[in-house]
Structure formats: structure tokens, C-alpha cells
Amino acid sequence: RKEVEQDPGPFNVPEGATVAFNCTYSNSASQSFFWYRQDCRKEPKLLMSVYSSGNEDGRFTAQLNRASQYISLLIRDSKLSDSATYLCVVGNNRLAFGKGNQVVVIP
Amino acid sequence: NAGVTQTPKFRVLKTGQSMTLLCAQDMNHEYMYWYRQDPGMGLRLIHYSVGEGTTAKGEVPDGYNVSRLKKQNFLLGLESAAPSQTSVYFCASSPSRVVTEAFFGQGTRLTVV
């Protein structure tokens, strides 16, 4: 089983709509959780950390479910500039990256 | 503040040639990593270092060597390049291994022909 699994998509989202996706992780001892954003041909950049209590940053909401070992990201009121690949990242003794969820926001 | 800088940004090698990719960080981070990213494969860890003078193997270490002689630099070497090593290589650093984010360089696009 892969350490971090994501459905690559693409997720085609009308502008202004809400999109949500999950990733699952296999190591129950994982200690840290992040969502990274990667634009085409660019380096990954931290979008937000993910906590058990859930956290929100503007239009972005992240949740962690330790019991079921999944992390979610929700984007509200999608903008064209949200088009990117969103990488789920889980940390234990090293950072493990999912393959990413590709989001395409359509005008 | 430059963050993480990778050189070169692009390179074309012939099969069998050798080269070294340089990663430099100015954030005084202890941990440094080399990843490769291929279409449909996501980011895969090649080697990493938990401090000056230390290195460790990641998921896909074969065909690569690394050195961390100075805290700020992490070098990735290809002794005899193969077409399977055509990829985008990312270096990253973090102040600690687990609890904090990693900061990435801009990547090196390597093509082996």
C-alpha cells in the first residue's frame, strides 16, 4: 500500500464552485500533515498545515481524521488562480508526498 | 534572503556522463532532501541528510550519491547518467524532520539522451 494516496483527477471545477478532495495515509504513527500547492513546472509550496481540530485559511479548509487516516482539503468560491496540483504530505521520520490532486478551475 | 537555490536549472547529459547538482540553503536548516518528480509518480525521495556530514538513503537511491560537507550545501551526484534518470529534481530543506514544512528549490530539469 502506498504511504500517501490521492486521486489525481483532474478535478474540473466551475469558477465560484466548491471542490473537496481527500488523501489517505498508511502510517498510523504519522505526526505531521500538510497540503502543498504546485503550479505547472514550479516547485511545491506550503499551502497549509493540517491539525486534528481542523483549520481554515480564507477559502481553504483542511481537516485531519486520525481514526480513519485521511486528510481533506476544501476550496470554496474557486478562483481561476486556484488551478494547480494540490499535494498531500504526511510526516513521520520523513515527509511522504502523494501524487497530487490536479484542479482545473473553468471560467 | 534566497531560501533554497539549485544549480543548474536545466541540463542535458549524454548517457554515461556524470554531473553534480548543487543545493544551497541560507536558512540554517539541519535537514536537507533530494527528490525527483516524474509524470504520474509524484515526488520520490532519493537521499536526505539530517545534518552536516550525514546522509541517508530514501526511496530511490540507486544511481545517485550525495554529500553534505557543509551545513548549507547538499550535493547530488550522478556517476553514470542513464535515460531513466531524466526527471525534474527538487532539493528541499527543513529545520526539523517531522513537525515543520519543507522549503523547496526551483528545480533542475535534467534530460539524459
Side-chain angles (χ1 to χ4, degrees):
Chain A
R1 184 182 170 188
K2 295 283 286 182
E3 201 163 350
V4 180
E5 298 214 50
Q6 290 182 261
D7 175 3
F11 294 78
N12 295 316
V13 184
E15 192 175 5
T18 295
V19 61
F21 31 83
N22 295 338
C23 88
T24 58
Y25 61 95
S26 60
N27 187 345
S28 60
S30 298
Q31 300 175 41
S32 55
F33 309 89
F34 309 94
W35 282 102
Y36 275 70
R37 170 186 171 135
Q38 186 173 25
D39 294 298
C40 187
R41 303 175 77 84
K42 298 285 189 180
E43 74 274 23
K45 292 184 179 179
L46 180 70
L47 178 66
M48 57 199 306
S49 301
V50 189
Y51 307 109
S52 296
S53 55
N55 47 305
E56 188 174 308
D57 183 2
R59 297 180 293 106
F60 297 83
T61 301
Q63 295 277 356
L64 165 64
N65 186 315
R66 283 189 181 270
S68 300
Q69 294 181 210
Y70 76 82
I71 307 157
S72 65
L73 180 67
L74 182 145
I75 307 174
R76 288 184 299 277
D77 188 22
S78 297
K79 310 291 185 191
L80 296 176
S81 57
D82 294 334
S83 296
T85 297
Y86 292 85
L87 304 173
C88 175
V89 184
V90 175
N92 185 15
N93 59 355
R94 59 176 181 81
L95 292 177
F97 287 77
K99 294 182 182 180
N101 299 113
Q102 184 186 5
V103 172
V104 180
V105 180
I106 302 165
Chain B
N1 191 341
V4 180
T5 303
Q6 291 182 233
T7 52
K9 291 193 172 35
F10 303 92
R11 186 72 185 269
V12 178
L13 282 181
K14 293 183 179 178
T15 298
Q17 285 185 317
S18 63
M19 78 165 293
T20 300
L21 282 66
L22 171 64
C23 177
Q25 53 98 0
D26 61 4
M27 296 174 283
N28 201 35
H29 286 170
E30 289 293 332
Y31 297 88
M32 296 187 75
Y33 315 85
W34 276 107
Y35 293 89
R36 60 177 290 174
Q37 187 173 38
D38 303 293
M41 299 295 292
L43 280 158
R44 293 182 293 169
L45 183 65
I46 305 171
H47 286 280
Y48 64 100
S49 168
V50 301
E52 182 178 318
T54 73
T55 63
K57 294 180 180 179
E59 301 172 70
V60 288
D62 294 341
Y64 305 95
N65 57 75
V66 288
S67 64
R68 182 105 181 263
L69 298 179
K70 293 183 179 180
K71 185 177 183 178
Q72 63 268 33
N73 296 335
F74 194 29
L75 278 62
L76 178 71
L78 285 73
E79 291 183 346
S80 179
S84 61
Q85 293 177 306
T86 294
S87 188
V88 180
Y89 292 85
F90 286 104
C91 175
S93 72
S94 66
S96 68
R97 187 167 50 186
V98 174
V99 296
T100 63
E101 68 177 290
F103 296 81
F104 283 81
Q106 292 180 312
T108 297
R109 297 189 174 277
L110 175 66
T111 302
V112 183
V113 297

